[in-house]
């Protein structure tokens, strides 16, 4: 079966940890109108310095998840028929999306409405109105679970192409293997479609996370998803190429981030910034993959546990974050203390619900994306 890719599992776990810090940061950051969407529920004191790390993380945190999803899709399809793949995607993505949309996300909208004073009723009295229209004008929303919806749609759309590449793409993959063995920097070719999408769609279609009119984000992430699938077909030469270019990618990413984040903080995105943004994203993806391949591709009991827990954590965490933020927002506490309480509380309550409820009740496991068998890992 080949060597297991523990490094990819580590990246997925760490990036979803970053997501929790990111969502807590949304409660405190002062965006100054620089992003198309902001958290409607905010702390009574917002912090301007948070703008810089939030803009930095915002560049690559979602693209890398779609690349990893594409890599995982390759390994799923390598041993399954198209029909089996779709059936498993439905179970692993649609069911948690449906359950999350009906159970996990509604309290987020309820607390937002309470905070804004548009309602003054109990949650049980509010819930029937959860189906009155779509968010933000209405209440029905998939919230932070939009990632599952996009990934499911991409999986269905890309399946014919992926099957074609699986069955007939060997000559193409051999050519690309030889290319990256001679010139690992050829991996930067994947920035070309990202740059085209950035230039042509980003300003016309601001991020909505609602699928409708989200042409820029959907196409950008679809390319990342496809890139992950394509690259995973290259096998051992790919992981060696990641390691070889990890330092150049890191250096270029650091330099590009300084320029990109500075210009974004000023609210300016001329053509050269639109070109540099995708290059910056890809530099960080390659750097993270390179260092992870070099140092994290090893078995760990912690990874074995967290690799299973990460999906329920993702589904649960944002509602817990919103609840804690709602309780803390107007308290006379320093914002740093509030941050610490929200981070510890989000991780802590997510773990309690996972460990003592979801993990142990067989009927709940598939509702939160868990399999009935033991931990699985990405394989080479």
């Amino acid at each position: 079966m080949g060597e297991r890719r523990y490094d990819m599992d580590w990246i997925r776990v760490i990036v979803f940890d970053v997501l929790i810090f990111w969502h807590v940061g949304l409660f405190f950051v002062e965006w100054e109108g620089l992003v198309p969407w902001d958290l409607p529920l905010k702390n009574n004191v917002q912090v301007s310095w948070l703008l810089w790390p939030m803009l930095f993380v915002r560049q690559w945190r979602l693209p890398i998840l779609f690349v990893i999803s594409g890599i995982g899709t390759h390994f799923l399809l390598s041993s399954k028929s198209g029909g089996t793949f779709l059936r498993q995607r439905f179970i692993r993505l649609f069911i948690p999306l449906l359950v999350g949309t009906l159970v996990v996300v509604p309290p987020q909208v309820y607390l937002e409405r309470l905070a804004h004073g548009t309602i003054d009723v109990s949650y049980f009295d509010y819930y029937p109105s959860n189906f009155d229209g779509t968010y933000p004008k209405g209440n029905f929303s998939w919230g932070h679970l939009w990632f599952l919806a996009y990934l499911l749609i991409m999986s269905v759309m890309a399946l014919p192409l992926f099957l074609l590449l699986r069955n007939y793409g060997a000559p193409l993959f051999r050519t690309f293997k030889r290319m990256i063995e001679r010139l690992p920097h050829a991996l930067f070719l994947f920035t070309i479609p990202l740059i085209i999408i950035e230039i042509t769609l980003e300003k016309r279609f601001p991020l909505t996370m609602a699928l409708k009119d989200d042409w820029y984000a959907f196409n950008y992430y679809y390319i990342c998803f496809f890139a992950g699938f394509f690259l995973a077909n290259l096998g051992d030469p790919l992981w060696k190429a990641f390691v070889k270019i990890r330092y150049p990618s890191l250096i270029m990413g650091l330099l590009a981030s300084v320029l990109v984040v500075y210009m974004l903080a000023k609210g300016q995105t001329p053509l050269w910034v639109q070109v540099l943004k995708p290059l910056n994203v890809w530099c960080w993806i390659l750097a993270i993959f390179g260092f992870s391949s070099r140092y994290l591709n090893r078995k760990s009991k912690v990874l074995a546990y967290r690799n299973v827990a990460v999906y329920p954590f993702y589904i649960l965490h944002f509602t817990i974050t919103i609840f804690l933020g709602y309780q803390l927002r107007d308290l006379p506490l320093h914002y740093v203390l509030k941050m610490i309480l929200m981070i510890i509380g989000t991780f802590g309550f997510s773990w309690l619900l996972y460990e003592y409820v979801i993990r142990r009740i067989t009927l709940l496991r598939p509702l939160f994306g868990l399999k009935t068998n033991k931990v699985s890992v990405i394989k080479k």
Side-chain angles (χ1 to χ4, degrees):
M1 294 295 292
E3 181 187 349
R4 294 179 176 182
R5 297 306 313 185
Y6 296 102
D7 49 345
M8 294 295 104
D9 291 320
W10 269 119
I11 293 172
R12 180 169 51 243
V13 168
I14 292 170
V15 171
F16 274 115
D17 284 350
V18 170
L19 179 65
I20 291 180
F21 285 92
W22 163 267
H23 279 152
V24 171
L26 285 177
F27 187 66
F28 298 93
V29 66
E30 186 176 0
W31 287 115
E32 301 173 356
L34 296 175
V35 295
W37 180 87
D38 192 9
L39 190 67
L41 188 62
K42 307 286 281 190
N43 187 45
N44 57 359
V45 175
Q46 296 176 44
V47 188
S48 58
W49 67 262
L50 264 180
L51 175 68
W52 301 93
M54 293 288 281
L55 282 175
F56 166 69
V57 173
R58 187 174 186 266
Q59 301 306 301
W60 51 264
R61 67 181 185 88
L62 288 171
I64 197 172
L65 285 176
F66 280 99
V67 174
I68 293 172
S69 297
I71 293 173
T73 297
H74 160 73
F75 293 114
L76 285 173
L77 271 178
S78 64
S79 60
K80 294 178 175 63
S81 67
T84 300
F85 170 78
L86 287 178
R87 185 165 58 252
Q88 291 190 355
R89 290 291 82 190
F90 178 86
I91 294 171
R92 291 272 286 165
L93 295 174
F94 180 76
I95 291 177
L97 172 63
L98 179 63
V99 172
T101 302
L102 295 178
V103 178
V104 179
V105 174
Q108 300 175 19
V109 181
Y110 170 71
L111 291 172
E112 176 190 330
R113 304 303 190 218
L114 276 183
H116 292 172
T118 56
I119 61 172
D120 185 20
V121 296
S122 71
Y123 178 71
F124 295 103
D125 290 332
Y126 158 81
Y127 189 79
S129 68
N130 179 67
F131 304 96
D132 294 345
T134 55
Y135 187 87
K137 292 183 178 179
N139 296 326
F140 190 74
S141 171
W142 53 34
H144 66 293
L145 303 181
W146 67 270
F147 174 80
L148 301 183
Y150 279 40
L151 186 56
L152 178 60
I153 294 169
M154 290 177 189
S155 298
V156 175
M157 287 178 53
L159 181 59
L161 176 59
F162 287 174
L163 290 175
L164 185 68
L165 288 172
R166 184 189 70 177
N167 297 329
Y168 304 104
L172 175 62
F173 297 136
R174 283 196 297 269
T175 300
F176 210 85
K177 283 180 186 179
R178 291 193 293 267
M179 185 186 302
I180 63 173
E181 286 174 336
R182 294 194 304 267
L183 185 64
H185 289 84
L187 291 171
F188 281 96
L189 290 172
F190 286 93
T191 62
I192 294 174
L194 296 178
I195 290 171
I196 294 172
I197 291 171
E198 185 75 28
I199 292 173
T200 58
L201 298 179
E202 192 269 339
K203 292 184 177 180
R204 294 173 58 197
F205 299 101
L207 181 70
T208 68
M209 299 177 292
L211 194 60
K212 181 182 178 182
D213 295 328
D214 208 16
W215 291 104
Y216 162 66
F218 186 88
N219 284 281
Y220 195 102
Y221 298 144
Y222 181 83
I223 293 297
C224 293
F225 179 61
F226 172 80
F229 177 87
F230 186 95
L231 292 173
N233 281 275
L234 305 182
D236 191 58
L238 174 70
W239 315 110
K240 291 180 178 178
F242 284 152
V243 173
K244 288 178 182 178
I245 63 173
R246 67 189 189 278
Y247 282 108
S249 299
L250 176 62
I251 293 170
M252 288 190 293
L254 288 170
L255 294 175
S257 289
V258 172
L259 295 172
V260 169
V261 171
Y262 174 75
M263 293 300 292
L264 291 178
K266 292 177 64 178
Q268 300 178 9
T269 53
L271 180 62
W272 68 268
V273 174
Q274 291 180 294
V275 173
L276 196 58
K277 278 176 64 182
L279 179 62
N280 176 50
V281 169
W282 201 248
C283 283
W284 283 105
I285 290 174
L286 294 182
I288 291 169
F289 281 0
F291 282 99
S292 299
S293 184
R294 177 66 178 82
Y295 297 108
L296 294 181
N297 191 25
R298 52 180 56 91
K299 194 173 183 179
S300 163
K301 290 182 179 179
V302 173
L303 176 62
Y305 180 87
R306 297 217 58 207
N307 192 44
V308 179
V310 67
Y311 199 176
F313 266 58
Y314 160 68
I315 294 170
L316 294 168
H317 83 278
F318 197 42
T319 298
I320 296 171
T321 299
I322 293 294
F323 175 78
L324 293 172
Y326 177 81
Q327 300 299 326
L328 293 170
R329 72 192 194 287
D330 292 325
L331 294 183
L333 301 175
H334 195 277
Y335 69 85
V336 173
L337 179 57
K338 291 182 180 181
M339 283 184 187
I340 294 172
L341 290 173
M342 289 180 69
I343 291 169
I344 294 175
T346 300
F347 276 103
F349 285 116
S350 297
W351 176 76
L352 288 172
L353 288 170
Y354 165 71
E355 176 62 28
Y356 294 105
V357 181
I358 297 169
R359 182 170 177 258
R360 298 168 188 264
I361 300 177
T362 303
L363 291 176
L364 290 181
R365 290 177 65 89
L367 304 185
F368 289 86
L370 295 183
K371 298 179 181 179
T372 55
N373 60 321
K374 293 184 178 180
V375 67
S376 60
V377 293
I378 293 178
K379 296 183 179 179
K380 195 174 179 178

PDB file of all heavy atoms in Angstrom, residues 328-352:
ATOM      1  N   LEU A 328     -19.289  37.404  26.450  1.00  0.00           N
ATOM      2  CA  LEU A 328     -18.151  38.205  26.916  1.00  0.00           C
ATOM      3  C   LEU A 328     -18.113  39.612  26.328  1.00  0.00           C
ATOM      4  O   LEU A 328     -17.392  40.477  26.846  1.00  0.00           O
ATOM      5  CB  LEU A 328     -16.834  37.501  26.551  1.00  0.00           C
ATOM      6  CG  LEU A 328     -16.529  36.175  27.249  1.00  0.00           C
ATOM      7  CD1 LEU A 328     -15.323  35.503  26.591  1.00  0.00           C
ATOM      8  CD2 LEU A 328     -16.256  36.405  28.729  1.00  0.00           C
ATOM      9  N   ARG A 329     -18.877  39.873  25.289  1.00  0.00           N
ATOM     10  CA  ARG A 329     -18.648  41.064  24.475  1.00  0.00           C
ATOM     11  C   ARG A 329     -18.710  42.365  25.248  1.00  0.00           C
ATOM     12  O   ARG A 329     -17.944  43.298  24.978  1.00  0.00           O
ATOM     13  CB  ARG A 329     -19.621  41.096  23.293  1.00  0.00           C
ATOM     14  CG  ARG A 329     -21.076  41.402  23.665  1.00  0.00           C
ATOM     15  CD  ARG A 329     -22.002  41.116  22.486  1.00  0.00           C
ATOM     16  NE  ARG A 329     -23.322  41.689  22.661  1.00  0.00           N
ATOM     17  CZ  ARG A 329     -24.244  41.221  23.507  1.00  0.00           C
ATOM     18  NH1 ARG A 329     -23.980  40.166  24.239  1.00  0.00           N
ATOM     19  NH2 ARG A 329     -25.422  41.806  23.594  1.00  0.00           N
ATOM     20  N   ASP A 330     -19.593  42.494  26.202  1.00  0.00           N
ATOM     21  CA  ASP A 330     -19.766  43.760  26.922  1.00  0.00           C
ATOM     22  C   ASP A 330     -19.203  43.737  28.337  1.00  0.00           C
ATOM     23  O   ASP A 330     -19.358  44.719  29.085  1.00  0.00           O
ATOM     24  CB  ASP A 330     -21.249  44.136  26.974  1.00  0.00           C
ATOM     25  CG  ASP A 330     -21.802  44.502  25.606  1.00  0.00           C
ATOM     26  OD1 ASP A 330     -21.052  45.105  24.810  1.00  0.00           O
ATOM     27  OD2 ASP A 330     -22.966  44.177  25.325  1.00  0.00           O
ATOM     28  N   LEU A 331     -18.547  42.656  28.714  1.00  0.00           N
ATOM     29  CA  LEU A 331     -17.957  42.589  30.059  1.00  0.00           C
ATOM     30  C   LEU A 331     -16.736  43.498  30.149  1.00  0.00           C
ATOM     31  O   LEU A 331     -15.982  43.629  29.186  1.00  0.00           O
ATOM     32  CB  LEU A 331     -17.564  41.151  30.405  1.00  0.00           C
ATOM     33  CG  LEU A 331     -18.702  40.133  30.545  1.00  0.00           C
ATOM     34  CD1 LEU A 331     -18.128  38.775  30.953  1.00  0.00           C
ATOM     35  CD2 LEU A 331     -19.735  40.608  31.560  1.00  0.00           C
ATOM     36  N   PRO A 332     -16.493  44.115  31.306  1.00  0.00           N
ATOM     37  CA  PRO A 332     -15.358  45.033  31.468  1.00  0.00           C
ATOM     38  C   PRO A 332     -14.048  44.276  31.682  1.00  0.00           C
ATOM     39  O   PRO A 332     -13.361  44.459  32.705  1.00  0.00           O
ATOM     40  CB  PRO A 332     -15.761  45.843  32.702  1.00  0.00           C
ATOM     41  CG  PRO A 332     -16.584  44.907  33.515  1.00  0.00           C
ATOM     42  CD  PRO A 332     -17.357  44.079  32.514  1.00  0.00           C
ATOM     43  N   LEU A 333     -13.689  43.439  30.732  1.00  0.00           N
ATOM     44  CA  LEU A 333     -12.444  42.675  30.792  1.00  0.00           C
ATOM     45  C   LEU A 333     -11.531  43.118  29.664  1.00  0.00           C
ATOM     46  O   LEU A 333     -11.996  43.537  28.587  1.00  0.00           O
ATOM     47  CB  LEU A 333     -12.725  41.176  30.655  1.00  0.00           C
ATOM     48  CG  LEU A 333     -13.638  40.519  31.697  1.00  0.00           C
ATOM     49  CD1 LEU A 333     -13.893  39.059  31.299  1.00  0.00           C
ATOM     50  CD2 LEU A 333     -13.014  40.593  33.079  1.00  0.00           C
ATOM     51  N   HIS A 334     -10.224  43.006  29.884  1.00  0.00           N
ATOM     52  CA  HIS A 334      -9.286  43.339  28.823  1.00  0.00           C
ATOM     53  C   HIS A 334      -9.482  42.377  27.659  1.00  0.00           C
ATOM     54  O   HIS A 334      -9.744  41.189  27.849  1.00  0.00           O
ATOM     55  CB  HIS A 334      -7.850  43.248  29.344  1.00  0.00           C
ATOM     56  CG  HIS A 334      -6.850  43.913  28.444  1.00  0.00           C
ATOM     57  ND1 HIS A 334      -6.314  43.277  27.340  1.00  0.00           N
ATOM     58  CD2 HIS A 334      -6.297  45.160  28.482  1.00  0.00           C
ATOM     59  CE1 HIS A 334      -5.468  44.096  26.733  1.00  0.00           C
ATOM     60  NE2 HIS A 334      -5.434  45.245  27.409  1.00  0.00           N
ATOM     61  N   TYR A 335      -9.321  42.897  26.438  1.00  0.00           N
ATOM     62  CA  TYR A 335      -9.600  42.065  25.268  1.00  0.00           C
ATOM     63  C   TYR A 335      -8.677  40.843  25.197  1.00  0.00           C
ATOM     64  O   TYR A 335      -9.072  39.800  24.681  1.00  0.00           O
ATOM     65  CB  TYR A 335      -9.510  42.883  23.986  1.00  0.00           C
ATOM     66  CG  TYR A 335      -8.123  43.344  23.598  1.00  0.00           C
ATOM     67  CD1 TYR A 335      -7.273  42.513  22.868  1.00  0.00           C
ATOM     68  CD2 TYR A 335      -7.667  44.618  23.931  1.00  0.00           C
ATOM     69  CE1 TYR A 335      -6.017  42.922  22.491  1.00  0.00           C
ATOM     70  CE2 TYR A 335      -6.410  45.040  23.550  1.00  0.00           C
ATOM     71  CZ  TYR A 335      -5.584  44.187  22.836  1.00  0.00           C
ATOM     72  OH  TYR A 335      -4.325  44.604  22.472  1.00  0.00           O
ATOM     73  N   VAL A 336      -7.466  40.942  25.723  1.00  0.00           N
ATOM     74  CA  VAL A 336      -6.561  39.795  25.706  1.00  0.00           C
ATOM     75  C   VAL A 336      -7.126  38.660  26.563  1.00  0.00           C
ATOM     76  O   VAL A 336      -7.080  37.489  26.176  1.00  0.00           O
ATOM     77  CB  VAL A 336      -5.153  40.183  26.187  1.00  0.00           C
ATOM     78  CG1 VAL A 336      -4.268  38.935  26.328  1.00  0.00           C
ATOM     79  CG2 VAL A 336      -4.509  41.175  25.222  1.00  0.00           C
ATOM     80  N   LEU A 337      -7.670  39.003  27.717  1.00  0.00           N
ATOM     81  CA  LEU A 337      -8.274  37.987  28.579  1.00  0.00           C
ATOM     82  C   LEU A 337      -9.482  37.360  27.886  1.00  0.00           C
ATOM     83  O   LEU A 337      -9.689  36.138  27.956  1.00  0.00           O
ATOM     84  CB  LEU A 337      -8.685  38.603  29.914  1.00  0.00           C
ATOM     85  CG  LEU A 337      -9.367  37.657  30.914  1.00  0.00           C
ATOM     86  CD1 LEU A 337      -8.468  36.459  31.218  1.00  0.00           C
ATOM     87  CD2 LEU A 337      -9.734  38.403  32.201  1.00  0.00           C
ATOM     88  N   LYS A 338     -10.280  38.178  27.203  1.00  0.00           N
ATOM     89  CA  LYS A 338     -11.416  37.637  26.465  1.00  0.00           C
ATOM     90  C   LYS A 338     -10.954  36.675  25.367  1.00  0.00           C
ATOM     91  O   LYS A 338     -11.547  35.607  25.160  1.00  0.00           O
ATOM     92  CB  LYS A 338     -12.245  38.769  25.849  1.00  0.00           C
ATOM     93  CG  LYS A 338     -12.993  39.629  26.860  1.00  0.00           C
ATOM     94  CD  LYS A 338     -13.829  40.680  26.139  1.00  0.00           C
ATOM     95  CE  LYS A 338     -14.579  41.562  27.123  1.00  0.00           C
ATOM     96  NZ  LYS A 338     -15.413  42.572  26.435  1.00  0.00           N
ATOM     97  N   MET A 339      -9.891  37.054  24.667  1.00  0.00           N
ATOM     98  CA  MET A 339      -9.344  36.172  23.633  1.00  0.00           C
ATOM     99  C   MET A 339      -8.942  34.823  24.218  1.00  0.00           C
ATOM    100  O   MET A 339      -9.274  33.769  23.667  1.00  0.00           O
ATOM    101  CB  MET A 339      -8.115  36.821  22.980  1.00  0.00           C
ATOM    102  CG  MET A 339      -8.395  37.907  21.994  1.00  0.00           C
ATOM    103  SD  MET A 339      -6.828  38.459  21.262  1.00  0.00           S
ATOM    104  CE  MET A 339      -7.401  39.863  20.306  1.00  0.00           C
ATOM    105  N   ILE A 340      -8.230  34.870  25.318  1.00  0.00           N
ATOM    106  CA  ILE A 340      -7.761  33.635  25.953  1.00  0.00           C
ATOM    107  C   ILE A 340      -8.945  32.775  26.373  1.00  0.00           C
ATOM    108  O   ILE A 340      -8.957  31.551  26.146  1.00  0.00           O
ATOM    109  CB  ILE A 340      -6.861  33.959  27.164  1.00  0.00           C
ATOM    110  CG1 ILE A 340      -5.569  34.630  26.686  1.00  0.00           C
ATOM    111  CG2 ILE A 340      -6.546  32.707  27.968  1.00  0.00           C
ATOM    112  CD1 ILE A 340      -4.707  35.166  27.807  1.00  0.00           C
ATOM    113  N   LEU A 341      -9.947  33.392  26.981  1.00  0.00           N
ATOM    114  CA  LEU A 341     -11.129  32.646  27.417  1.00  0.00           C
ATOM    115  C   LEU A 341     -11.860  32.026  26.231  1.00  0.00           C
ATOM    116  O   LEU A 341     -12.320  30.877  26.300  1.00  0.00           O
ATOM    117  CB  LEU A 341     -12.072  33.569  28.194  1.00  0.00           C
ATOM    118  CG  LEU A 341     -11.591  34.027  29.568  1.00  0.00           C
ATOM    119  CD1 LEU A 341     -12.545  35.081  30.141  1.00  0.00           C
ATOM    120  CD2 LEU A 341     -11.477  32.839  30.524  1.00  0.00           C
ATOM    121  N   MET A 342     -11.942  32.758  25.118  1.00  0.00           N
ATOM    122  CA  MET A 342     -12.652  32.240  23.954  1.00  0.00           C
ATOM    123  C   MET A 342     -11.871  31.106  23.288  1.00  0.00           C
ATOM    124  O   MET A 342     -12.464  30.115  22.843  1.00  0.00           O
ATOM    125  CB  MET A 342     -12.914  33.375  22.956  1.00  0.00           C
ATOM    126  CG  MET A 342     -13.966  34.363  23.432  1.00  0.00           C
ATOM    127  SD  MET A 342     -14.272  35.711  22.253  1.00  0.00           S
ATOM    128  CE  MET A 342     -15.068  34.811  20.917  1.00  0.00           C
ATOM    129  N   ILE A 343     -10.557  31.231  23.217  1.00  0.00           N
ATOM    130  CA  ILE A 343      -9.743  30.172  22.609  1.00  0.00           C
ATOM    131  C   ILE A 343      -9.808  28.903  23.448  1.00  0.00           C
ATOM    132  O   ILE A 343     -10.080  27.811  22.936  1.00  0.00           O
ATOM    133  CB  ILE A 343      -8.284  30.651  22.444  1.00  0.00           C
ATOM    134  CG1 ILE A 343      -8.206  31.744  21.383  1.00  0.00           C
ATOM    135  CG2 ILE A 343      -7.379  29.478  22.072  1.00  0.00           C
ATOM    136  CD1 ILE A 343      -6.873  32.457  21.330  1.00  0.00           C
ATOM    137  N   ILE A 344      -9.572  29.044  24.752  1.00  0.00           N
ATOM    138  CA  ILE A 344      -9.619  27.873  25.637  1.00  0.00           C
ATOM    139  C   ILE A 344     -11.024  27.274  25.649  1.00  0.00           C
ATOM    140  O   ILE A 344     -11.200  26.047  25.590  1.00  0.00           O
ATOM    141  CB  ILE A 344      -9.176  28.257  27.060  1.00  0.00           C
ATOM    142  CG1 ILE A 344      -7.689  28.646  27.057  1.00  0.00           C
ATOM    143  CG2 ILE A 344      -9.416  27.091  28.031  1.00  0.00           C
ATOM    144  CD1 ILE A 344      -7.200  29.164  28.399  1.00  0.00           C
ATOM    145  N   GLY A 345     -12.028  28.138  25.720  1.00  0.00           N
ATOM    146  CA  GLY A 345     -13.406  27.664  25.760  1.00  0.00           C
ATOM    147  C   GLY A 345     -13.813  26.955  24.484  1.00  0.00           C
ATOM    148  O   GLY A 345     -14.494  25.918  24.517  1.00  0.00           O
ATOM    149  N   THR A 346     -13.405  27.489  23.321  1.00  0.00           N
ATOM    150  CA  THR A 346     -13.764  26.862  22.052  1.00  0.00           C
ATOM    151  C   THR A 346     -13.129  25.484  21.916  1.00  0.00           C
ATOM    152  O   THR A 346     -13.807  24.505  21.576  1.00  0.00           O
ATOM    153  CB  THR A 346     -13.343  27.752  20.865  1.00  0.00           C
ATOM    154  OG1 THR A 346     -14.011  29.030  20.969  1.00  0.00           O
ATOM    155  CG2 THR A 346     -13.719  27.099  19.548  1.00  0.00           C
ATOM    156  N   PHE A 347     -11.823  25.413  22.184  1.00  0.00           N
ATOM    157  CA  PHE A 347     -11.161  24.109  22.132  1.00  0.00           C
ATOM    158  C   PHE A 347     -11.728  23.164  23.189  1.00  0.00           C
ATOM    159  O   PHE A 347     -11.982  21.983  22.928  1.00  0.00           O
ATOM    160  CB  PHE A 347      -9.652  24.263  22.332  1.00  0.00           C
ATOM    161  CG  PHE A 347      -8.894  24.606  21.096  1.00  0.00           C
ATOM    162  CD1 PHE A 347      -8.446  25.900  20.860  1.00  0.00           C
ATOM    163  CD2 PHE A 347      -8.607  23.636  20.152  1.00  0.00           C
ATOM    164  CE1 PHE A 347      -7.737  26.220  19.717  1.00  0.00           C
ATOM    165  CE2 PHE A 347      -7.898  23.936  18.993  1.00  0.00           C
ATOM    166  CZ  PHE A 347      -7.454  25.245  18.779  1.00  0.00           C
ATOM    167  N   GLY A 348     -11.930  23.697  24.393  1.00  0.00           N
ATOM    168  CA  GLY A 348     -12.361  22.854  25.507  1.00  0.00           C
ATOM    169  C   GLY A 348     -13.747  22.279  25.322  1.00  0.00           C
ATOM    170  O   GLY A 348     -13.952  21.065  25.474  1.00  0.00           O
ATOM    171  N   PHE A 349     -14.719  23.120  24.998  1.00  0.00           N
ATOM    172  CA  PHE A 349     -16.091  22.629  24.825  1.00  0.00           C
ATOM    173  C   PHE A 349     -16.216  21.751  23.582  1.00  0.00           C
ATOM    174  O   PHE A 349     -16.996  20.793  23.573  1.00  0.00           O
ATOM    175  CB  PHE A 349     -17.069  23.796  24.766  1.00  0.00           C
ATOM    176  CG  PHE A 349     -17.334  24.434  26.101  1.00  0.00           C
ATOM    177  CD1 PHE A 349     -16.970  25.747  26.355  1.00  0.00           C
ATOM    178  CD2 PHE A 349     -17.939  23.713  27.124  1.00  0.00           C
ATOM    179  CE1 PHE A 349     -17.202  26.329  27.586  1.00  0.00           C
ATOM    180  CE2 PHE A 349     -18.190  24.281  28.360  1.00  0.00           C
ATOM    181  CZ  PHE A 349     -17.811  25.594  28.603  1.00  0.00           C
ATOM    182  N   SER A 350     -15.451  22.082  22.520  1.00  0.00           N
ATOM    183  CA  SER A 350     -15.464  21.217  21.338  1.00  0.00           C
ATOM    184  C   SER A 350     -14.949  19.828  21.702  1.00  0.00           C
ATOM    185  O   SER A 350     -15.521  18.806  21.268  1.00  0.00           O
ATOM    186  CB  SER A 350     -14.598  21.823  20.224  1.00  0.00           C
ATOM    187  OG  SER A 350     -15.112  23.059  19.784  1.00  0.00           O
ATOM    188  N   TRP A 351     -13.882  19.785  22.497  1.00  0.00           N
ATOM    189  CA  TRP A 351     -13.322  18.496  22.891  1.00  0.00           C
ATOM    190  C   TRP A 351     -14.293  17.726  23.783  1.00  0.00           C
ATOM    191  O   TRP A 351     -14.485  16.515  23.603  1.00  0.00           O
ATOM    192  CB  TRP A 351     -12.002  18.690  23.626  1.00  0.00           C
ATOM    193  CG  TRP A 351     -11.439  17.385  24.133  1.00  0.00           C
ATOM    194  CD1 TRP A 351     -10.818  16.423  23.394  1.00  0.00           C
ATOM    195  CD2 TRP A 351     -11.500  16.899  25.477  1.00  0.00           C
ATOM    196  NE1 TRP A 351     -10.474  15.356  24.195  1.00  0.00           N
ATOM    197  CE2 TRP A 351     -10.875  15.625  25.473  1.00  0.00           C
ATOM    198  CE3 TRP A 351     -11.993  17.414  26.672  1.00  0.00           C
ATOM    199  CZ2 TRP A 351     -10.751  14.858  26.634  1.00  0.00           C
ATOM    200  CZ3 TRP A 351     -11.866  16.653  27.823  1.00  0.00           C
ATOM    201  CH2 TRP A 351     -11.258  15.395  27.798  1.00  0.00           C
ATOM    202  N   LEU A 352     -14.921  18.401  24.729  1.00  0.00           N
ATOM    203  CA  LEU A 352     -15.870  17.720  25.614  1.00  0.00           C
ATOM    204  C   LEU A 352     -17.022  17.111  24.830  1.00  0.00           C
ATOM    205  O   LEU A 352     -17.412  15.959  25.061  1.00  0.00           O
ATOM    206  CB  LEU A 352     -16.403  18.697  26.663  1.00  0.00           C
ATOM    207  CG  LEU A 352     -15.429  19.111  27.774  1.00  0.00           C
ATOM    208  CD1 LEU A 352     -16.026  20.233  28.612  1.00  0.00           C
ATOM    209  CD2 LEU A 352     -15.077  17.929  28.655  1.00  0.00           C
TER     210      LEU A 352
END
